[in-house]
mmCIF file of all heavy atoms in Angstrom:
data_model
loop_
_atom_site.group_PDB
_atom_site.id
_atom_site.type_symbol
_atom_site.label_atom_id
_atom_site.label_comp_id
_atom_site.label_asym_id
_atom_site.label_seq_id
_atom_site.Cartn_x
_atom_site.Cartn_y
_atom_site.Cartn_z
ATOM 1 N N VAL U 1 11.653 -0.742 17.893
ATOM 2 C CA VAL U 1 11.176 0.102 16.801
ATOM 3 C C VAL U 1 11.114 1.510 17.383
ATOM 4 O O VAL U 1 10.309 1.782 18.272
ATOM 5 C CB VAL U 1 9.788 -0.332 16.296
ATOM 6 C CG1 VAL U 1 9.309 0.617 15.197
ATOM 7 C CG2 VAL U 1 9.826 -1.766 15.795
ATOM 8 N N VAL U 2 11.999 2.400 16.923
ATOM 9 C CA VAL U 2 12.172 3.680 17.605
ATOM 10 C C VAL U 2 12.165 4.837 16.621
ATOM 11 O O VAL U 2 12.558 4.700 15.459
ATOM 12 C CB VAL U 2 13.498 3.719 18.402
ATOM 13 C CG1 VAL U 2 13.546 2.603 19.438
ATOM 14 C CG2 VAL U 2 14.714 3.631 17.477
ATOM 15 N N ARG U 3 11.720 5.975 17.127
ATOM 16 C CA ARG U 3 11.853 7.205 16.350
ATOM 17 C C ARG U 3 13.286 7.724 16.509
ATOM 18 O O ARG U 3 13.884 7.613 17.581
ATOM 19 C CB ARG U 3 10.849 8.261 16.832
ATOM 20 C CG ARG U 3 10.886 9.511 15.979
ATOM 21 C CD ARG U 3 9.717 10.447 16.213
ATOM 22 N NE ARG U 3 9.928 11.649 15.438
ATOM 23 C CZ ARG U 3 10.592 12.719 15.873
ATOM 24 N NH1 ARG U 3 11.061 12.748 17.113
ATOM 25 N NH2 ARG U 3 10.772 13.763 15.101
ATOM 26 N N GLU U 4 13.827 8.312 15.455
ATOM 27 C CA GLU U 4 15.218 8.771 15.472
ATOM 28 C C GLU U 4 15.319 10.094 16.223
ATOM 29 O O GLU U 4 15.237 11.171 15.630
ATOM 30 C CB GLU U 4 15.757 8.899 14.054
ATOM 31 C CG GLU U 4 15.929 7.556 13.368
ATOM 32 C CD GLU U 4 16.613 7.678 12.018
ATOM 33 O OE1 GLU U 4 16.253 8.601 11.259
ATOM 34 O OE2 GLU U 4 17.501 6.857 11.723
ATOM 35 N N THR U 5 15.530 9.991 17.530
ATOM 36 C CA THR U 5 15.671 11.181 18.361
ATOM 37 C C THR U 5 16.471 10.831 19.606
ATOM 38 O O THR U 5 16.446 9.683 20.080
ATOM 39 C CB THR U 5 14.292 11.755 18.757
ATOM 40 O OG1 THR U 5 14.471 12.985 19.453
ATOM 41 C CG2 THR U 5 13.522 10.793 19.643
ATOM 42 N N GLY U 6 17.214 11.811 20.129
ATOM 43 C CA GLY U 6 17.901 11.687 21.399
ATOM 44 C C GLY U 6 18.700 10.413 21.555
ATOM 45 O O GLY U 6 19.399 9.960 20.647
ATOM 46 N N GLY U 7 18.577 9.814 22.747
ATOM 47 C CA GLY U 7 19.349 8.626 23.053
ATOM 48 C C GLY U 7 18.978 7.411 22.244
ATOM 49 O O GLY U 7 19.751 6.443 22.174
ATOM 50 N N LEU U 8 17.811 7.434 21.583
ATOM 51 C CA LEU U 8 17.440 6.313 20.722
ATOM 52 C C LEU U 8 18.370 6.233 19.520
ATOM 53 O O LEU U 8 18.713 5.144 19.061
ATOM 54 C CB LEU U 8 15.985 6.454 20.277
ATOM 55 C CG LEU U 8 14.952 6.534 21.411
ATOM 56 C CD1 LEU U 8 13.548 6.718 20.846
ATOM 57 C CD2 LEU U 8 15.025 5.306 22.291
ATOM 58 N N VAL U 9 18.803 7.395 19.028
ATOM 59 C CA VAL U 9 19.783 7.421 17.936
ATOM 60 C C VAL U 9 21.116 6.852 18.407
ATOM 61 O O VAL U 9 21.791 6.116 17.678
ATOM 62 C CB VAL U 9 19.978 8.862 17.425
ATOM 63 C CG1 VAL U 9 21.125 8.945 16.423
ATOM 64 C CG2 VAL U 9 18.692 9.384 16.791
ATOM 65 N N ASP U 10 21.492 7.184 19.638
ATOM 66 C CA ASP U 10 22.813 6.814 20.153
ATOM 67 C C ASP U 10 22.902 5.354 20.587
ATOM 68 O O ASP U 10 24.015 4.852 20.801
ATOM 69 C CB ASP U 10 23.179 7.707 21.347
ATOM 70 C CG ASP U 10 23.292 9.172 20.961
ATOM 71 O OD1 ASP U 10 23.735 9.444 19.825
ATOM 72 O OD2 ASP U 10 22.939 10.041 21.775
ATOM 73 N N THR U 11 21.775 4.672 20.753
ATOM 74 C CA THR U 11 21.823 3.324 21.320
ATOM 75 C C THR U 11 21.285 2.228 20.411
ATOM 76 O O THR U 11 21.617 1.062 20.624
ATOM 77 C CB THR U 11 21.021 3.269 22.644
ATOM 78 O OG1 THR U 11 19.686 3.735 22.404
ATOM 79 C CG2 THR U 11 21.675 4.125 23.711
ATOM 80 N N VAL U 12 20.466 2.555 19.419
ATOM 81 C CA VAL U 12 19.840 1.517 18.596
ATOM 82 C C VAL U 12 20.502 1.492 17.218
ATOM 83 O O VAL U 12 20.215 2.338 16.361
ATOM 84 C CB VAL U 12 18.323 1.757 18.452
ATOM 85 C CG1 VAL U 12 17.705 0.660 17.579
ATOM 86 C CG2 VAL U 12 17.657 1.778 19.822
ATOM 87 N N PRO U 13 21.394 0.530 16.960
ATOM 88 C CA PRO U 13 22.048 0.452 15.644
ATOM 89 C C PRO U 13 21.057 0.054 14.550
ATOM 90 O O PRO U 13 20.075 -0.652 14.800
ATOM 91 C CB PRO U 13 23.107 -0.648 15.838
ATOM 92 C CG PRO U 13 23.255 -0.800 17.322
ATOM 93 C CD PRO U 13 21.927 -0.460 17.911
ATOM 94 N N HIS U 14 21.342 0.494 13.338
ATOM 95 C CA HIS U 14 20.481 0.157 12.200
ATOM 96 C C HIS U 14 20.418 -1.347 11.964
ATOM 97 O O HIS U 14 19.403 -1.843 11.448
ATOM 98 C CB HIS U 14 20.981 0.855 10.925
ATOM 99 C CG HIS U 14 20.678 2.316 10.872
ATOM 100 N ND1 HIS U 14 19.413 2.802 10.644
ATOM 101 C CD2 HIS U 14 21.480 3.407 11.022
ATOM 102 C CE1 HIS U 14 19.433 4.133 10.644
ATOM 103 N NE2 HIS U 14 20.678 4.525 10.877
ATOM 104 N N ASP U 15 21.494 -2.073 12.295
ATOM 105 C CA ASP U 15 21.495 -3.511 12.020
ATOM 106 C C ASP U 15 20.913 -4.320 13.172
ATOM 107 O O ASP U 15 21.006 -5.544 13.193
ATOM 108 C CB ASP U 15 22.905 -4.005 11.683
ATOM 109 C CG ASP U 15 23.889 -3.859 12.834
ATOM 110 O OD1 ASP U 15 23.545 -3.196 13.843
ATOM 111 O OD2 ASP U 15 25.007 -4.401 12.737
ATOM 112 N N VAL U 16 20.319 -3.624 14.148
ATOM 113 C CA VAL U 16 19.625 -4.304 15.251
ATOM 114 C C VAL U 16 18.143 -3.934 15.233
ATOM 115 O O VAL U 16 17.268 -4.776 15.061
ATOM 116 C CB VAL U 16 20.245 -3.964 16.621
ATOM 117 C CG1 VAL U 16 19.413 -4.571 17.756
ATOM 118 C CG2 VAL U 16 21.682 -4.454 16.690
ATOM 119 N N GLY U 17 17.845 -2.642 15.431
ATOM 120 C CA GLY U 17 16.464 -2.206 15.521
ATOM 121 C C GLY U 17 15.950 -1.608 14.221
ATOM 122 O O GLY U 17 16.594 -1.676 13.164
ATOM 123 N N PHE U 18 14.771 -0.996 14.319
ATOM 124 C CA PHE U 18 14.101 -0.389 13.169
ATOM 125 C C PHE U 18 13.797 1.063 13.527
ATOM 126 O O PHE U 18 13.087 1.333 14.501
ATOM 127 C CB PHE U 18 12.816 -1.166 12.854
ATOM 128 C CG PHE U 18 13.067 -2.622 12.578
ATOM 129 C CD1 PHE U 18 13.083 -3.534 13.620
ATOM 130 C CD2 PHE U 18 13.329 -3.065 11.289
ATOM 131 C CE1 PHE U 18 13.336 -4.881 13.384
ATOM 132 C CE2 PHE U 18 13.587 -4.412 11.039
ATOM 133 C CZ PHE U 18 13.585 -5.324 12.098
ATOM 134 N N ARG U 19 14.352 1.997 12.753
ATOM 135 C CA ARG U 19 14.267 3.410 13.080
ATOM 136 C C ARG U 19 13.458 4.159 12.034
ATOM 137 O O ARG U 19 13.494 3.837 10.855
ATOM 138 C CB ARG U 19 15.677 3.997 13.187
ATOM 139 C CG ARG U 19 16.444 3.454 14.373
ATOM 140 C CD ARG U 19 17.947 3.652 14.375
ATOM 141 N NE ARG U 19 18.440 4.917 13.872
ATOM 142 C CZ ARG U 19 19.700 5.329 14.034
ATOM 143 N NH1 ARG U 19 20.556 4.584 14.727
ATOM 144 N NH2 ARG U 19 20.104 6.470 13.523
ATOM 145 N N PHE U 20 12.729 5.173 12.501
ATOM 146 C CA PHE U 20 11.979 6.029 11.575
ATOM 147 C C PHE U 20 12.108 7.468 12.038
ATOM 148 O O PHE U 20 12.293 7.746 13.222
ATOM 149 C CB PHE U 20 10.511 5.600 11.492
ATOM 150 C CG PHE U 20 9.736 5.737 12.774
ATOM 151 C CD1 PHE U 20 8.928 6.843 13.015
ATOM 152 C CD2 PHE U 20 9.800 4.750 13.750
ATOM 153 C CE1 PHE U 20 8.203 6.973 14.190
ATOM 154 C CE2 PHE U 20 9.077 4.858 14.940
ATOM 155 C CZ PHE U 20 8.287 5.969 15.156
ATOM 156 N N SER U 21 12.041 8.398 11.098
ATOM 157 C CA SER U 21 12.300 9.801 11.421
ATOM 158 C C SER U 21 11.046 10.653 11.480
ATOM 159 O O SER U 21 11.075 11.755 12.026
ATOM 160 C CB SER U 21 13.266 10.409 10.396
ATOM 161 O OG SER U 21 12.715 10.313 9.084
ATOM 162 N N GLY U 22 9.960 10.193 10.915
ATOM 163 C CA GLY U 22 8.746 10.992 10.888
ATOM 164 C C GLY U 22 8.058 11.057 12.239
ATOM 165 O O GLY U 22 8.511 10.483 13.230
ATOM 166 N N GLU U 23 6.913 11.745 12.256
ATOM 167 C CA GLU U 23 6.212 11.959 13.521
ATOM 168 C C GLU U 23 4.709 11.760 13.329
ATOM 169 O O GLU U 23 3.892 12.490 13.865
ATOM 170 C CB GLU U 23 6.498 13.371 14.035
ATOM 171 C CG GLU U 23 6.261 13.563 15.517
ATOM 172 C CD GLU U 23 6.725 14.923 16.003
ATOM 173 O OE1 GLU U 23 7.860 15.341 15.672
ATOM 174 O OE2 GLU U 23 5.958 15.579 16.724
ATOM 175 N N THR U 24 4.363 10.716 12.550
ATOM 176 C CA THR U 24 2.963 10.427 12.301
ATOM 177 C C THR U 24 2.682 8.961 12.613
ATOM 178 O O THR U 24 3.603 8.124 12.617
ATOM 179 C CB THR U 24 2.581 10.698 10.835
ATOM 180 O OG1 THR U 24 3.188 9.684 10.000
ATOM 181 C CG2 THR U 24 3.025 12.084 10.395
ATOM 182 N N PRO U 25 1.410 8.620 12.845
ATOM 183 C CA PRO U 25 1.068 7.205 13.037
ATOM 184 C C PRO U 25 1.484 6.349 11.850
ATOM 185 O O PRO U 25 1.908 5.195 12.023
ATOM 186 C CB PRO U 25 -0.451 7.239 13.198
ATOM 187 C CG PRO U 25 -0.760 8.611 13.691
ATOM 188 C CD PRO U 25 0.242 9.505 13.035
ATOM 189 N N GLY U 26 1.402 6.911 10.643
ATOM 190 C CA GLY U 26 1.803 6.163 9.462
ATOM 191 C C GLY U 26 3.278 5.830 9.455
ATOM 192 O O GLY U 26 3.685 4.744 9.002
ATOM 193 N N ASP U 27 4.115 6.751 9.957
ATOM 194 C CA ASP U 27 5.556 6.484 10.027
ATOM 195 C C ASP U 27 5.843 5.324 10.979
ATOM 196 O O ASP U 27 6.670 4.451 10.690
ATOM 197 C CB ASP U 27 6.300 7.736 10.495
ATOM 198 C CG ASP U 27 6.195 8.886 9.506
ATOM 199 O OD1 ASP U 27 6.307 8.635 8.287
ATOM 200 O OD2 ASP U 27 5.984 10.029 9.955
ATOM 201 N N LEU U 28 5.163 5.330 12.122
ATOM 202 C CA LEU U 28 5.334 4.234 13.074
ATOM 203 C C LEU U 28 4.847 2.921 12.472
ATOM 204 O O LEU U 28 5.521 1.888 12.569
ATOM 205 C CB LEU U 28 4.576 4.544 14.362
ATOM 206 C CG LEU U 28 4.437 3.397 15.374
ATOM 207 C CD1 LEU U 28 5.802 2.925 15.848
ATOM 208 C CD2 LEU U 28 3.576 3.827 16.562
ATOM 209 N N ALA U 29 3.681 2.949 11.860
ATOM 210 C CA ALA U 29 3.127 1.731 11.276
ATOM 211 C C ALA U 29 4.036 1.169 10.189
ATOM 212 O O ALA U 29 4.214 -0.058 10.082
ATOM 213 C CB ALA U 29 1.736 2.014 10.715
ATOM 214 N N ALA U 30 4.651 2.046 9.392
ATOM 215 C CA ALA U 30 5.546 1.589 8.323
ATOM 216 C C ALA U 30 6.772 0.899 8.895
ATOM 217 O O ALA U 30 7.224 -0.134 8.381
ATOM 218 C CB ALA U 30 5.949 2.770 7.440
ATOM 219 N N ALA U 31 7.346 1.464 9.984
ATOM 220 C CA ALA U 31 8.513 0.844 10.605
ATOM 221 C C ALA U 31 8.148 -0.505 11.212
ATOM 222 O O ALA U 31 8.929 -1.470 11.134
ATOM 223 C CB ALA U 31 9.081 1.776 11.679
ATOM 224 N N CYS U 32 6.956 -0.590 11.811
ATOM 225 C CA CYS U 32 6.514 -1.868 12.385
ATOM 226 C C CYS U 32 6.251 -2.892 11.286
ATOM 227 O O CYS U 32 6.486 -4.099 11.463
ATOM 228 C CB CYS U 32 5.268 -1.657 13.229
ATOM 229 S SG CYS U 32 5.564 -0.753 14.771
ATOM 230 N N ARG U 33 5.769 -2.414 10.138
ATOM 231 C CA ARG U 33 5.560 -3.319 9.006
ATOM 232 C C ARG U 33 6.889 -3.856 8.492
ATOM 233 O O ARG U 33 7.015 -5.041 8.159
ATOM 234 C CB ARG U 33 4.810 -2.584 7.889
ATOM 235 C CG ARG U 33 4.483 -3.453 6.682
ATOM 236 C CD ARG U 33 3.603 -4.623 7.064
ATOM 237 N NE ARG U 33 3.294 -5.472 5.910
ATOM 238 C CZ ARG U 33 2.837 -6.701 6.012
ATOM 239 N NH1 ARG U 33 2.647 -7.235 7.210
ATOM 240 N NH2 ARG U 33 2.577 -7.416 4.934
ATOM 241 N N GLU U 34 7.904 -2.979 8.444
ATOM 242 C CA GLU U 34 9.241 -3.434 8.043
ATOM 243 C C GLU U 34 9.747 -4.506 9.009
ATOM 244 O O GLU U 34 10.318 -5.521 8.599
ATOM 245 C CB GLU U 34 10.217 -2.251 8.018
ATOM 246 C CG GLU U 34 11.633 -2.645 7.648
ATOM 247 C CD GLU U 34 12.646 -1.527 7.858
ATOM 248 O OE1 GLU U 34 12.238 -0.398 8.220
ATOM 249 O OE2 GLU U 34 13.844 -1.786 7.678
ATOM 250 N N ALA U 35 9.517 -4.273 10.301
ATOM 251 C CA ALA U 35 9.938 -5.255 11.299
ATOM 252 C C ALA U 35 9.196 -6.580 11.106
ATOM 253 O O ALA U 35 9.791 -7.665 11.216
ATOM 254 C CB ALA U 35 9.693 -4.706 12.705
#
């Protein structure tokens, strides 16, 4: 579960991991909830 930045964009495909673009605890929690 990664934020969309730097090498995380280049290595984590959408059909494998869970990506989020925001920079708040809520953004992280939402991506973890999706997972």
